[in-house]
């Protein structure tokens, strides 16, 4: 059956966008990406990542792409996502470049903060971005089975879970979750008022909690720790500032 003019136009447009995708990936691998930006976020407007494209990227290039995506987010220059094209391209297989463990806070959706699209990142969300056994297993799947190359633990300012842990909140199953944040409270060096009423202390503990979760990932997952030691993945942390939109990365 012959294609209608509209279908022909859609196919042509899809191929053009696909060509831009390959160009972006190729330039990223060569380290000379400019107008199209870097790595994962830089290609989010086109179709989803293929295995070949993802495998060409290094962990550092993927992290650089996330940083570029965050710049686009906070400057209001986000890419025009074709989610339907990404849905179709990823329907029969997914090859995300990173797995992001973040908080459930509605103000901190990782995919938007990094200007990514469908099929580009695995996303795990839990209050206080802690790493329990189920989440560790999920991240092991993302990296060891599915090939993601970056594990990012993402915290944020004004975190309610962190504030609750500081204030000793008890509420059903939440009590046990908040207890997993408390080691970060003790590890936080802070000279001011150490209560949940002090926003600066809450943010300091939130950053310590990201580092605590990273330590938990490395110590409790021999699989992820081994992949990192072999240079196959990178495990990094970051803090998202609700006020200015900046994501600050750290190891």
């Amino acid at each position: 059956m012959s294609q209608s003019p509209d279908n022909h136009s859609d196919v042509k447009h899809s191929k053009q966008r696909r060509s831009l995708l390959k160009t972006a990936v190729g330039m990223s691998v060569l380290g000379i990406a400019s107008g199209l930006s870097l790595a994962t976020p830089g290609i989010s407007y086109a179709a989803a990542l293929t295995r070949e494209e993802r495998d060409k990227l290094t962990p550092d290039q993927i992290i650089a792409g996330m940083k570029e995506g965050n710049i686009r987010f906070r400057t209001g220059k986000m890419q025009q996502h074709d989610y339907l094209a990404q849905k179709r391209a990823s329907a029969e297989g997914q090859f995300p470049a990173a797995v992001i463990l973040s908080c459930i806070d509605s103000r901190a959706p990782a995919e938007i903060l990094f200007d990514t699209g469908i099929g580009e990142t695995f996303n795990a969300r839990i209050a206080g971005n802690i790493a329990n056994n189920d989440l560790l297993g999920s991240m092991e799947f993302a990296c060891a089975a599915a090939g993601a190359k970056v594990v990012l633990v993402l915290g944020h300012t004004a975190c309610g879970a962190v504030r609750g842990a500081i204030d000793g909140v008890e509420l059903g199953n939440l009590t046990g979750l908040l207890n997993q944040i408390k080691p970060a409270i003790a590890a936080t060096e802070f000279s001011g008022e150490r209560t949940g009423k002090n926003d600066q202390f809450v943010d300091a503990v939130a950053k310590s909690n990201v580092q605590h979760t990273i330590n938990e990932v490395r110590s409790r997952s021999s699989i992820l720790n081994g992949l990192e030691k072999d240079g196959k993945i990178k495990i990094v942390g970051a803090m998202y500032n609700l006020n200015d939109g900046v994501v600050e990365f750290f190891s």
Side-chain angles (χ1 to χ4, degrees):
M1 183 173 65
S2 62
Q3 293 179 331
S4 68
D6 287 344
N7 287 340
H8 178 74
S9 176
D10 288 345
V11 170
K12 180 179 179 182
H13 185 58
S14 177
K15 288 182 178 179
Q16 289 173 340
R17 295 175 73 80
R18 192 65 184 167
S19 177
L20 286 174
L21 167 66
K22 293 181 180 297
T23 301
V25 173
M27 293 177 71
S28 176
V29 171
L30 292 174
I32 58 173
S34 55
L36 293 177
S37 299
L38 292 171
T40 308
I43 58 180
S44 59
Y45 61 89
L49 279 170
T50 66
R51 183 194 301 272
E52 180 182 8
E53 290 158 351
R54 190 271 313 278
D55 289 350
K56 286 180 180 178
L57 298 171
T58 67
D60 285 338
Q61 287 170 335
I62 294 165
I63 293 169
M66 289 180 169
K67 292 177 179 179
E68 290 289 329
N70 179 242
I71 292 174
R72 294 195 300 276
F73 163 73
R74 67 177 189 261
T75 57
K77 298 179 181 178
M78 298 176 72
Q79 294 171 344
Q80 184 175 353
H81 295 266
D82 189 341
Y83 292 119
L84 290 178
Q86 294 166 5
K87 173 186 70 69
R88 290 190 293 267
S90 61
E92 295 184 2
Q94 60 168 340
F95 308 99
V99 53
I100 303 172
L101 172 59
S102 61
C103 183
I104 65 168
D105 195 293
S106 63
R107 301 165 294 178
E111 302 97 317
I112 296 176
L113 305 184
F114 296 120
D115 192 20
T116 61
I118 295 173
E120 296 186 50
T121 61
F122 288 106
N123 298 279
R125 302 187 69 174
I126 186 170
N129 41 269
I130 64 168
N132 61 23
N133 289 340
D134 294 329
L135 288 166
L136 287 171
S138 298
M139 291 187 287
E140 289 170 350
F141 163 78
C143 296
K149 297 183 179 182
V150 171
V151 173
L152 172 64
V153 179
L154 178 65
H156 66 92
T157 59
C159 181
V162 169
R163 194 184 306 275
I166 293 171
D167 290 341
V169 169
E170 296 186 358
L171 178 65
N173 293 306
L174 179 63
T175 304
L177 187 154
L178 297 183
N179 285 339
Q180 297 185 60
I181 299 175
K182 290 184 177 180
I185 302 173
T188 301
E189 296 183 3
F190 192 83
S191 57
E193 181 185 358
R194 298 175 64 91
T195 71
K197 295 180 181 179
N198 188 339
D199 292 341
Q200 290 182 331
F201 181 58
V202 171
D203 292 347
V205 174
K207 186 171 183 178
S208 295
N209 186 50
V210 169
Q211 188 60 61
H212 174 68
T213 298
I214 291 174
N215 295 342
E216 287 285 285
V217 171
R218 287 172 174 154
S219 64
R220 294 175 56 193
S221 174
S222 59
I223 292 175
L224 295 174
N225 190 34
L227 288 172
E228 185 178 41
K229 287 182 176 179
D230 291 340
K232 296 180 179 179
I233 70 170
K234 275 198 170 182
I235 303 173
V236 296
M239 279 289 293
Y240 169 59
N241 190 307
L242 294 179
N243 291 322
D244 61 20
V246 173
V247 175
E248 174 195 0
F249 282 76
F250 53 91
S251 298

